Amino acid sequence: QVQLVESGGGLVQAGGSLRLSCAASGSIFIIAAMGWYRQAPGKQRELVAVITSGSNTNYADSVKGRFTISRDNAKNTVYLQMNRLKPEDTAVYYCNVRGPEYVYWGQGTQVTVSS
């Protein structure tokens, strides 16, 4: 079965950095896109960043210039480098992998930014 295993979350002070990783395992043959979403308390889940199989990237306006998404195709792993973190970045972050006929989600990892 396909699993997405996330790591890298934690508690960090404002202005600090974290690097999230999400490794996909199982029978995944075609990946159209990999991305990161987040859900803060009392808010809906929102797209943070996405990278397509063609290496096109998109970012939420709130993280542009601070976050960078990347991937390692050989490892089926997607990363999110988060710099200059702000308290408003506090949320549970979920990775996402999708293809022509499937969508998979990670278990979520908590990111807490203190002021």
Side-chain angles (χ1 to χ4, degrees), residues 24-101:
S25 63
S27 300
I28 300 178
F29 301 105
I30 301 175
I31 296 175
M34 306 180 79
W36 291 93
Y37 293 72
R38 68 186 181 187
Q39 188 165 22
K43 296 184 178 181
Q44 294 184 332
R45 187 174 299 186
E46 64 174 347
L47 175 68
V48 177
V50 62
I51 184 167
T52 70
S53 61
S55 296
N56 295 316
T57 58
N58 286 293
Y59 297 90
D61 289 341
S62 60
V63 307
K64 287 181 179 178
R66 298 188 298 120
F67 292 9
T68 303
I69 188 169
S70 62
R71 70 173 190 269
D72 184 335
N73 292 144
K75 298 180 179 179
N76 280 342
T77 300
V78 62
Y79 305 93
L80 185 68
Q81 179 66 47
M82 305 184 294
N83 298 324
R84 298 187 180 279
L85 284 160
K86 304 175 181 179
E88 47 264 48
D89 294 319
T90 295
V92 177
Y93 285 70
Y94 300 89
C95 67
N96 167 277
V97 178
R98 64 179 181 271
E101 300 179 340

Side-chain angles (χ1 to χ4, degrees), residues 8-32:
L11 176 64
V12 65
Q13 293 182 345
S17 299
L18 286 172
R19 185 175 186 249
L20 305 183
S21 299
C22 176
S25 63
S27 300
I28 300 178
F29 301 105
I30 301 175
I31 296 175

